[in-house]
């Protein structure tokens, strides 16, 4: 069968750099760090005392207070970002066929804050089970797409995707596939995460994954830098409205870009560490290129997973050199996690949005915070250090890799009729 084309018609974002797409993009291009000392709890006794928090968010500004109490923070973020994307898309919710509108959403963990609060309350009591009746529906990772569909009456495919830090990239790929196959005309997709809590910071500290550079917290997320010592926790949400091309064209929609390919793979190597030679990363990028029917030379920009971990940055760079060959030196490469921190399950959606806006605006956001390039990395590669660079971006690839060895890559490009 002939696959249908898939385009992006709406974007929404709630991030450490801004509570809208426009604010987030402006700060990304300007190289602003979203890191700060943790305000959500007293982090005095924790190895890491900083994170990239969403700033100025109040649930009551967006929903009834009673309704907000039924939602974990990650679901609140999902609802707000998806509303933005739906409004941005210009969809007429009165006339659109809601049986053909779905929601596919990614979250690596889900309601961690709710889980922590409920268990702590029980453990601090006398053993009598007193749990919030909304405990389970607040906690489960798939509840975010459920809430989005209920709010808007979308009856199409609806589910959550959980694959650690690859979750929302895989959600985008699933959404693309459903539209390609004619299972839906429109899919609201993306991801959200809210894990800046004692259990989130403490757990990742125990895994030795987080930076502990409390003296230089604003610049602690430093991908490719010799002095990097782990990732910086981020939070928030990003949402994309994906739409079948003819459906979008028929209603006169503004189209940002076309989603042309997605790849998935597994490292099959280690619970938390990447394959040292980047085998899974090589495979996932090749799978995405094959799916898009594109040659490596057609990619202009790679938004790397680039978490600022000692092993991950090296493995991913090896994979890029292997997949792109000499063309790797013509690429712009950047890690926007240097500014946003790592949004875990929401990272893929945010970074896909960055790739889309790079294609739209012909600007590549920078990798900030470099002090000294890791000697294991090729200095001839263009990591877009310090400042955004203007260049024609016809096509961009975004990588995400998750604990468990889950890898996902998505490719977007300028629409050509």
């Amino acid at each position: 069968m002939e696959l249908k084309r898939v385009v992006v018609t709406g974007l929404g974002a709630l991030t450490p750099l801004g509570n809208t797409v426009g604010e987030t993009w402006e700060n990304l291009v300007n190289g602003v760090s979203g890191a700060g000392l943790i305000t959500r709890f007293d982090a005095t006794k924790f190895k890491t005392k900083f994170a990239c928090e969403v700033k100025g968010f109040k649930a009551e500004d967006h929903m009834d207070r009673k309704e907000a109490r039924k939602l974990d923070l990650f679901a609140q973020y999902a609802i707000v970002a998806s509303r933005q994307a739906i409004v941005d898309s210009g969809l007429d919710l009165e006339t659109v066929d809601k049986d053909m509108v779905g929601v596919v959403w990614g979250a690596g963990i889900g309601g961690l804050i709710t889980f922590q609060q409920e268990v702590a309350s029980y453990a601090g009591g006398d053993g009598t089970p007193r749990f919030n009746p909304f405990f389970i529906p607040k906690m489960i990772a798939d509840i975010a797409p459920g809430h989005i569909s209920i709010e808007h009456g979308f009856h199409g495919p609806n589910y959550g995707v959980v694959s650690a830090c690859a979750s929302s990239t895989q959600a985008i790929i699933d959404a693309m596939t459903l539209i390609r196959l004619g299972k839906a005309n429109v899919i609201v997709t993306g991801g959200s995460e809210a894990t800046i809590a004692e259990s989130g910071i403490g757990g990742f500290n125990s895994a030795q994954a987080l930076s502990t550079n409390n003296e230089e917290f604003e610049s602690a997320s430093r991908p490719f830098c010799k002095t990097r010592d782990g990732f910086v926790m981020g939070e928030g949400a990003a949402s994309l409205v994906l739409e079948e091309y003819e459906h979008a064209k028929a209603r006169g929609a503004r189209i940002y870009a076309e989603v042309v390919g997605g790849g998935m793979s597994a490292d099959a190597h280690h619970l938390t560490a990447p394959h040292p030679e980047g085998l899974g990363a090589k495979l996932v990028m090749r799978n995405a290129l094959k799916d898009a029917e594109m040659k490596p030379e057609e990619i202009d920009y790679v938004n790397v997973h680039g978490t600022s971990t000692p092993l991950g940055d090296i493995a991913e760079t090896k994979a890029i050199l292997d997949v792109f060959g000499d063309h790797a030196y013509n690429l712009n490469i950047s890690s926007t996690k240097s500014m946003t921190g790592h949004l875990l399950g929401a990272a893929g959606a945010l970074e896909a949005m960055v790739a889309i806006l790079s294609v739209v605006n012909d600007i590549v956001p920078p990798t900030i915070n470099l002090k000294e390039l890791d000697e294991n990395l090729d200095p001839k590669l263009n990591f877009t250090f310090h400042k955004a660079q203007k260049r024609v971006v016809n096509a961009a690839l975004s990588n995400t890799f998750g604990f468990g060895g889950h890898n996902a890559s998505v490719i977007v490009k300028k629409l050509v009729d």
Side-chain angles (χ1 to χ4, degrees), residues 71-256:
L71 300 165
D72 185 86
L73 188 58
F74 96 101
Q76 294 176 5
Y77 287 167
I79 288 170
V80 172
S82 61
R83 283 176 184 168
Q84 290 180 12
I86 292 165
V87 170
D88 186 50
S89 74
L91 276 173
D92 186 342
L93 299 185
E94 297 299 318
T95 60
V96 70
D97 181 359
K98 293 185 179 180
D99 290 351
M100 293 294 285
V101 182
V103 186
V104 182
W105 200 263
I109 297 175
L112 182 67
I113 295 173
T114 293
F115 188 87
Q116 174 186 299
Q117 290 172 342
E118 291 294 318
V119 171
S121 177
Y122 174 71
D126 61 3
T128 303
R130 297 186 181 91
F131 289 92
N132 188 313
F134 293 102
F135 173 29
I136 301 302
K138 285 178 70 174
M139 176 194 69
I140 53 179
D142 67 293
I143 204 67
H147 279 294
I148 294 167
S149 68
I150 291 167
E151 179 172 57
H152 302 287
F154 298 150
H155 296 287
N158 185 280
Y159 57 93
V161 177
V162 179
S163 50
C165 305
S167 297
S168 53
T169 302
Q170 291 197 340
I172 292 168
I173 294 169
D174 278 11
M176 174 190 70
T177 302
L178 288 165
I179 295 172
R180 278 178 166 181
L181 295 175
K183 305 293 185 182
N185 293 328
V186 180
I187 299 280
V188 179
T189 188
S192 58
E193 206 81 90
T195 57
I196 301 176
E198 293 90 337
S199 53
I201 298 297
F204 280 105
N205 269 156
S206 294
Q208 298 183 341
L210 289 182
S211 170
T212 57
N213 190 355
N214 296 298
E215 292 73 29
E216 301 176 294
F217 60 83
E218 287 187 343
S219 63
S221 183
R222 49 184 70 165
F224 315 119
C225 184
K226 183 177 181 178
T227 61
R228 68 192 184 281
D229 70 330
F231 75 82
V232 176
M233 182 82 78
E235 64 170 0
S239 180
L240 293 70
V241 173
L242 301 192
E243 192 165 349
E244 193 271 320
Y245 171 57
E246 295 296 338
H247 186 274
K249 191 165 70 169
R251 68 180 185 87
R254 183 265 330 276
I255 294 173
Y256 284 102

Side-chain angles (χ1 to χ4, degrees), residues 11 25 255-257 354-363 393 414:
L11 296 173
W25 176 246
I255 294 173
Y256 284 102
V354 172
I356 290 161
L357 292 174
S358 294
V359 165
V360 170
N361 296 292
D362 289 322
I363 298 174
V393 183
K414 293 186 190 298

Side-chain angles (χ1 to χ4, degrees), residues 3-8 172 176 180 257-263 287-294 299 394-396 409-416:
L3 297 177
K4 299 178 183 294
R5 296 172 69 184
V6 182
V7 295
V8 182
I172 292 168
M176 174 190 70
R180 278 178 166 181
E258 184 172 4
V259 185
V260 291
N287 286 345
L289 287 163
K290 181 179 179 181
D291 187 50
E293 298 182 343
M294 293 178 70
I299 301 296
N394 287 312
S409 299
V410 66
I411 297 175
V412 297
K413 72 176 187 179
K414 293 186 190 298
L415 178 69
V416 178

Side-chain angles (χ1 to χ4, degrees), residues 216-411:
E216 301 176 294
F217 60 83
E218 287 187 343
S219 63
S221 183
R222 49 184 70 165
F224 315 119
C225 184
K226 183 177 181 178
T227 61
R228 68 192 184 281
D229 70 330
F231 75 82
V232 176
M233 182 82 78
E235 64 170 0
S239 180
L240 293 70
V241 173
L242 301 192
E243 192 165 349
E244 193 271 320
Y245 171 57
E246 295 296 338
H247 186 274
K249 191 165 70 169
R251 68 180 185 87
R254 183 265 330 276
I255 294 173
Y256 284 102
E258 184 172 4
V259 185
V260 291
M264 294 179 278
S265 75
D267 275 11
H269 170 69
H270 188 272
L271 283 178
T272 58
H275 192 284
E277 299 301 317
L279 293 185
K282 295 176 191 178
L283 181 58
V284 75
M285 287 187 280
R286 288 185 174 129
N287 286 345
L289 287 163
K290 181 179 179 181
D291 187 50
E293 298 182 343
M294 293 178 70
K295 298 176 181 178
E297 294 77 20
E298 295 178 86
I299 301 296
D300 301 302
Y301 168 43
V302 177
N303 186 296
V304 292
H305 187 56
T307 58
S308 185
T309 57
L311 296 177
D313 292 358
I314 293 172
E316 186 172 10
T317 305
K318 285 181 179 178
I320 288 171
L321 284 164
D322 191 77
V323 170
F324 289 93
D326 289 341
H327 180 62
Y329 301 106
N330 300 321
L331 293 169
N332 270 78
I333 297 165
S334 77
S335 171
T336 46
K337 288 186 181 74
S338 60
M339 296 172 277
T340 66
H342 190 355
L343 272 67
L344 305 181
L350 175 56
E351 289 155 22
M353 186 191 83
V354 172
I356 290 161
L357 292 174
S358 294
V359 165
V360 170
N361 296 292
D362 289 322
I363 298 174
V364 176
T367 305
I368 66 170
N369 301 328
L370 176 76
K371 290 180 177 286
E372 181 182 356
L373 186 68
D374 188 319
E375 63 270 16
N376 295 299
L377 301 177
D378 191 333
K380 297 190 295 295
L381 291 171
N382 183 1
F383 292 104
T384 323
F385 285 127
H386 309 303
K387 291 185 178 180
Q389 294 180 13
K390 293 185 177 181
R391 65 166 291 172
V392 175
V393 183
N394 287 312
L397 180 150
S398 179
N399 284 334
T400 46
F401 313 136
F403 281 6
H406 313 299
N407 307 308
S409 299
V410 66
I411 297 175

